[in-house]
Amino acid sequence: MTTTTQRVAGRWTVNRSAGRSSAAVIRPGFAWAVPATLFFVLFAVVPLVLVAVLSFTSWNGLGSPQWTGMANWNALIHDHTMIQSLWLSLLITVLGVVVQTPLSLLLGVWAAGRQRNRAVLSAVYFIPLLLSATAISVLWRALLDPNFGVPAQAHWLFGNGNLLGMQSGAIGVLVFVGAWQYTPFHTLIYQGAARAIPQVLYQAAEMDGAGTIRQFWHITLPQLRNTMITSMILMVVGGLTTFDTVLILTQGGPGTDTTISAYYMYQKAFKGFDFGGGSAIALVLVVIATIISLIVVRVSGYDKMRSSAEGL
Amino acid sequence: MKKRAMLSRAAAGGVTLALGLTLAACGGSSSGGNGSGTFHVLVYGDATNKVEKQIVDTFNKTSKVKAVLDTIPGADYQQKLQTIINTKQAPDVFFNWGGGSIQPFVKAGLLQPLDGMIAKDPALKSDFLPSVFNGAVIDGKPYGVPMRGTQPVLLFNNAQVLKDAGLTPPKTWDDLLSDVKVLKDKGKTPIALGGGDQWPTLMWFEYLYDRIAGPDLFQKAMSGDKSAWDSPDSRKALSMLKQLVDAGAFGKNFDSVKYTDGGSVALVATGKAGFELMGSWYYSQQQQDHPDFAKSGLGYSTFPTVDGGKGDPQDIAGNTNNYYSVMKKAKNQDAIAQFLKLMYSDEFVKAQMAIGNLPTTTNTEQFLSTSASPAYSQFQYNLVKSAPSFQLSWDQAYPPSAITPIHQAVQEFFDGQLDADGFIKAMQALPTS
């Protein structure tokens, strides 16, 4: 096997040096893709197929799954909690993007400056990213205790402090904690991108009499377009996969008010041992995530990989 | 041609690799298999393992067949047990909560009914308090032997707060309502409630249903007769709970408060609240979080009686105990029977008492004075001993798939999202098997 691969690799090299015509390049054999493909099949495709099969069964982990046909799916379609959970996932994702994007954009552009105080503040601000989501949730849970936390000291802002006892409050807390944790990360992305914008553009704009605000709107923002797309995709992925904050801060409550789809799946499969029902939810999530990623790639032009720094 | 040969060779290599991974995965679990001269005892991993280890050592000193103690740490116990119980890695004897936690295993025919062992050694039943032993009786057959401490739910109070308001622990429901009013007028949260955890809310339902309807209503519902939830007694219990909530007994932000992060515990300890309904572990929780308060200011009483209720005022609710259940396929049944006998031995009782647990054997009485807090132990023991019925927590009596819906329903009823009809409907929709 070793000799074969070497030969293939050798041929590839030879061909490449012989001429730059891409048609002449013999691509590496499919064998090269075998390990990755095998792993993908073993750890992604096989589980996916199993989940699909399980979604047509009733199984509590004991004995063998009982074939129940469309029962789980029928139940899911009429399941008020499931439909609500999809909306909640969407809401939390959208709110996450809406809150985090302006914040991290402004902070990132500000932090891109070379002043020393900015470097120090940026370093401090980066800390939340280094903490685990679980630790952060526990921390905020304690900070928001209505009798001994911040709300007890600030009645004018929090009223009776029943933040996690009502839907709007609980969603607000989830979005806030998510933003607190992830804004630094996106700030870092924007900071890097803003620093990469050629200074000549600003110098030229200054010559033309553009102020700071105009420079921001007409140079910084357009130059950061691709960065924004990258950052937003990451936010969407993060929003849709939100789990640990819900698990620790609200446990899907009050009632089912913050039971997002991923948490609902966990509840069904791993707390209620209804693996059939849980699998059906999982499959719905897979389909939705695929659709969203297709849409994002199409709309954003991510697949074309255009550079915003063209011509430099 | 050459290419294809290479492909298949590579594929073979890949398969070998995958096979290797699988083998490696198997290798890790081979220790769980059943050797001929041993049986495996699986327990929930926590501080009590000290006692379990001691008992296993005692057993192994004299027995030819050796017991091997395995632990699964922390809160994932039930999940992990569920995944291994029907595999080769399954234990022979395992820790559980009785009731709904083992009902699916009984249904699947995995557990050994213990009546055979009890016939040979009647003490395996008679040496335990009946209300506790019954917690692991399913369809009329015993499936578990109590193996830790009992944890009845009590109404705790801050004695100083009650004294300042001129109150005593409530004997009746009406007392409780008037206490609530007095404390509320004084600007206190009358009753601390960790509503964010959901299960503390459930305790109010368990007690009130038992006081008003007796244990039969819940038994009926559990056996599949859903009309029980729509009975006049059920509606009466709900309207009384509603009355309590509406009277402001728990304040307005109880769903943002948790017991598990110490929020409700601190409310009582700092004198911001008067009462809290909680399992008997509350005492050691306060000792840990607020030692001074636990020593001087923590009071406790039984749940108030309800005038005209059908339930015996001595009934209690909570966690009856934990149990050892035996797998049907376990080979060394005789040795296991010998092992289970240790669960009512003096050594066992002493060791449990030493770490603060209250065993539920009949000989426990002799050792109550050795407890770290004898009065508290005596109070609980008498309570459990004289209780005609010990209602296992609903979320443990029902099978696991009902836990989340129960928790949601009680929370939604308390915060007003569900009315009585909605709650009844939610309970009727619960799976009973």
Side-chain angles (χ1 to χ4, degrees):
Chain A
M1 183 154 171
T2 327
T3 42
T4 330
T5 46
Q6 270 173 354
R7 203 184 305 154
V8 175
R11 209 194 304 168
W12 187 72
T13 324
V14 168
N15 269 310
R16 193 175 140 185
S17 54
R20 283 189 59 112
S21 142
S22 61
V25 170
I26 297 173
R27 291 189 174 270
F30 283 110
W32 291 91
V34 165
T37 313
L38 260 174
F39 265 81
F40 183 70
V41 168
L42 205 64
F43 294 111
V45 177
V46 169
L48 199 62
V49 171
L50 285 180
V51 161
V53 172
L54 268 183
S55 74
F56 293 100
T57 66
S58 161
W59 190 43
N60 64 359
L62 308 169
S64 42
Q66 301 291 315
W67 192 260
T68 53
M70 297 300 288
N72 289 328
W73 289 99
N74 274 330
L76 206 59
I77 290 167
H78 298 110
D79 187 347
H80 166 73
T81 312
M82 178 64 202
I83 294 156
Q84 179 191 264
S85 78
L86 289 173
W87 283 115
L88 283 171
S89 299
L90 194 70
L91 180 68
I92 286 178
T93 307
V94 169
L95 284 176
V97 173
V98 169
V99 171
Q100 291 176 38
T101 301
L103 273 179
S104 49
L105 178 63
L106 290 175
L107 281 170
V109 170
W110 176 81
R114 301 280 176 186
Q115 297 87 333
R116 184 173 287 267
N117 64 335
R118 293 193 185 184
V120 173
L121 281 174
S122 305
V124 171
Y125 193 59
F126 191 66
I127 290 173
L129 194 58
L130 303 175
L131 306 174
S132 83
T134 313
I136 288 174
S137 305
V138 171
L139 175 84
W140 279 103
R141 173 78 232 181
L143 277 175
L144 292 173
D145 183 284
N147 301 299
F148 302 99
V150 178
Q153 306 300 325
H155 288 294
W156 55 273
L157 181 60
F158 294 101
N160 63 15
N162 197 19
L163 277 178
L164 294 163
M166 54 183 186
Q167 184 169 36
S168 52
I171 290 175
V173 169
L174 288 174
V175 170
F176 171 79
V177 172
W180 190 82
Q181 181 184 11
Y182 287 112
T183 304
F185 172 68
H186 295 283
T187 300
L188 196 69
I189 297 181
Y190 282 117
Q191 183 195 24
R195 279 190 176 163
I197 300 173
Q199 286 300 314
V200 279
L201 296 179
Y202 292 106
Q203 288 154 4
E206 221 160 286
M207 300 269 273
D208 291 341
T212 316
I213 294 172
R214 279 197 76 155
Q215 287 181 16
F216 177 77
W217 282 108
H218 291 100
I219 300 173
T220 314
L221 266 190
Q223 290 285 317
L224 290 178
R225 185 177 168 275
N226 280 8
T227 312
M228 279 175 89
I229 290 165
T230 310
S231 151
M232 277 164 134
I233 290 174
L234 290 171
M235 284 177 194
V236 168
V237 171
L240 291 176
T241 53
T242 302
F243 179 77
D244 16 20
T245 41
V246 173
L247 179 72
I248 290 164
L249 281 166
T250 69
Q251 291 171 310
T256 57
D257 283 352
T258 57
T259 305
I260 55 167
S261 306
Y263 187 73
Y264 191 45
M265 173 186 78
Y266 163 79
Q267 267 185 343
K268 267 227 148 89
F270 295 102
K271 285 181 95 178
F273 300 118
D274 174 6
F275 290 106
S279 298
I281 302 175
L283 213 57
V284 170
L285 286 181
V286 167
V287 170
I288 290 178
T290 311
I291 292 173
I292 289 180
S293 81
L294 285 177
I295 293 175
V296 167
V297 166
R298 182 60 57 86
V299 168
S300 65
Y302 192 67
D303 51 340
K304 300 188 194 81
M305 295 283 188
R306 282 177 314 190
S307 166
S308 59
E310 243 164 342
L312 284 159
Chain B
M1 188 68 207
K2 206 174 253 173
K3 211 171 196 178
R4 195 178 296 165
M6 188 190 69
L7 235 176
S8 60
R9 236 182 290 174
V15 169
T16 317
L17 182 71
L19 208 65
L21 275 176
T22 324
L23 285 176
C26 290
S29 55
S30 63
S31 59
N34 298 331
S36 58
T38 61
F39 60 89
H40 282 258
V41 181
L42 183 69
V43 293
Y44 184 95
D46 64 11
T48 311
N49 294 154
K50 203 170 94 183
V51 178
E52 273 113 33
K53 181 126 199 1
Q54 180 190 336
I55 298 296
V56 162
D57 288 345
T58 302
F59 175 76
N60 286 344
K61 260 180 224 157
T62 54
S63 172
K64 261 189 200 155
V65 180
K66 304 293 179 196
V68 181
L69 188 72
D70 302 319
T71 59
I72 294 180
D76 292 338
Y77 181 85
Q78 185 75 11
Q79 273 101 316
K80 291 190 176 145
L81 178 67
Q82 185 102 4
T83 46
I84 60 167
I85 193 135
N86 206 15
T87 67
K88 263 197 278 185
Q89 283 82 42
D92 299 296
V93 180
F94 65 95
F95 163 105
N96 59 72
W97 291 267
S101 72
I102 51 171
Q103 192 218 35
F105 305 155
V106 173
K107 286 250 150 84
L110 296 172
L111 300 193
Q112 176 71 35
L114 302 181
D115 18 20
M117 288 183 192
I118 292 168
K120 277 186 210 156
D121 174 25
L124 261 182
K125 181 179 179 183
S126 60
D127 273 19
F128 295 98
L129 300 181
S131 65
V132 173
F133 187 83
N134 287 339
V137 172
I138 289 174
D139 296 335
K141 286 195 173 165
Y143 285 95
V145 169
M147 46 72 72
R148 278 191 181 181
T150 184
Q151 298 170 325
V153 171
L154 307 169
L155 186 61
F156 291 90
N157 62 60
N158 182 320
Q160 192 60 44
V161 169
L162 296 198
K163 202 175 151 204
D164 291 348
L167 302 173
T168 51
K171 293 213 160 43
T172 67
W173 184 258
D174 293 335
D175 290 350
L176 181 68
L177 286 178
S178 68
D179 287 4
V180 161
K181 197 166 172 311
V182 173
L183 288 172
K184 203 181 155 210
D185 290 345
K186 286 202 165 272
K188 307 276 181 197
T189 303
I191 307 171
L193 175 65
D197 287 316
Q198 298 169 327
W199 51 263
T201 310
L202 178 63
M203 292 172 169
W204 286 92
F205 288 77
E206 290 161 6
Y207 258 118
L208 210 53
Y209 266 80
D210 194 282
R211 286 286 185 269
I212 291 171
D216 296 345
L217 186 148
F218 187 75
Q219 289 310 323
K220 220 168 122 184
M222 276 296 296
S223 66
D225 183 354
K226 302 189 179 216
S227 68
W229 292 114
D230 200 12
S231 63
D233 280 343
S234 168
R235 285 186 180 274
K236 188 177 171 203
L238 290 176
S239 77
M240 287 172 75
L241 284 167
K242 182 95 185 119
Q243 190 189 359
L244 188 68
V245 176
D246 289 348
F250 307 103
K252 285 195 160 43
N253 53 24
F254 53 84
D255 271 345
S256 301
V257 180
K258 275 195 174 191
Y259 169 79
T260 44
D261 66 6
S264 65
V265 182
L267 270 179
V268 175
T270 56
K272 290 182 187 229
F275 298 100
E276 181 163 12
L277 188 66
M278 190 43 70
S280 61
W281 60 83
Y282 192 69
Y283 193 89
S284 48
Q285 188 68 48
Q286 288 285 15
Q287 276 179 329
Q288 184 191 317
D289 295 1
H290 310 276
D292 292 338
F293 170 70
K295 214 180 281 169
S296 58
L298 179 62
Y300 47 85
S301 62
T302 52
F303 194 83
T305 61
V306 173
D307 283 343
K310 293 176 197 156
D312 193 303
Q314 290 190 303
D315 281 358
I316 47 178
N319 299 347
T320 51
N321 201 334
N322 300 115
Y323 303 87
Y324 272 140
S325 292
V326 182
M327 297 293 289
K328 197 170 256 171
K329 66 177 182 194
K331 286 192 192 102
N332 301 303
Q333 297 277 350
D334 290 336
I336 290 171
Q338 295 306 315
F339 174 70
L340 292 181
K341 279 184 191 180
L342 293 177
M343 301 309 135
Y344 57 79
S345 67
D346 289 356
E347 182 193 358
F348 168 85
V349 174
K350 275 191 238 170
Q352 292 285 359
M353 299 283 292
I355 61 161
N357 283 344
L358 181 64
T360 52
T361 57
T362 47
N363 58 340
T364 299
E365 214 155 4
Q366 309 158 24
F367 301 100
L368 286 174
S369 58
T370 67
S371 154
S373 38
Y376 185 60
S377 298
Q378 184 78 51
F379 174 80
Q380 282 184 78
Y381 186 80
N382 291 346
L383 202 66
V384 175
K385 192 184 169 194
S386 53
S389 158
F390 193 155
Q391 176 58 57
L392 184 60
S393 301
W394 289 4
D395 52 358
Q396 288 171 11
Y398 268 96
S401 56
I403 295 175
T404 303
I406 291 177
H407 285 173
Q408 283 166 355
V410 295
Q411 184 175 37
E412 290 181 332
F413 184 76
F414 261 45
D415 72 16
Q417 287 189 58
L418 280 183
D419 57 8
D421 288 329
F423 180 82
I424 289 165
K425 225 169 124 191
M427 296 308 279
Q428 286 176 332
L430 294 178
T432 48
S433 61

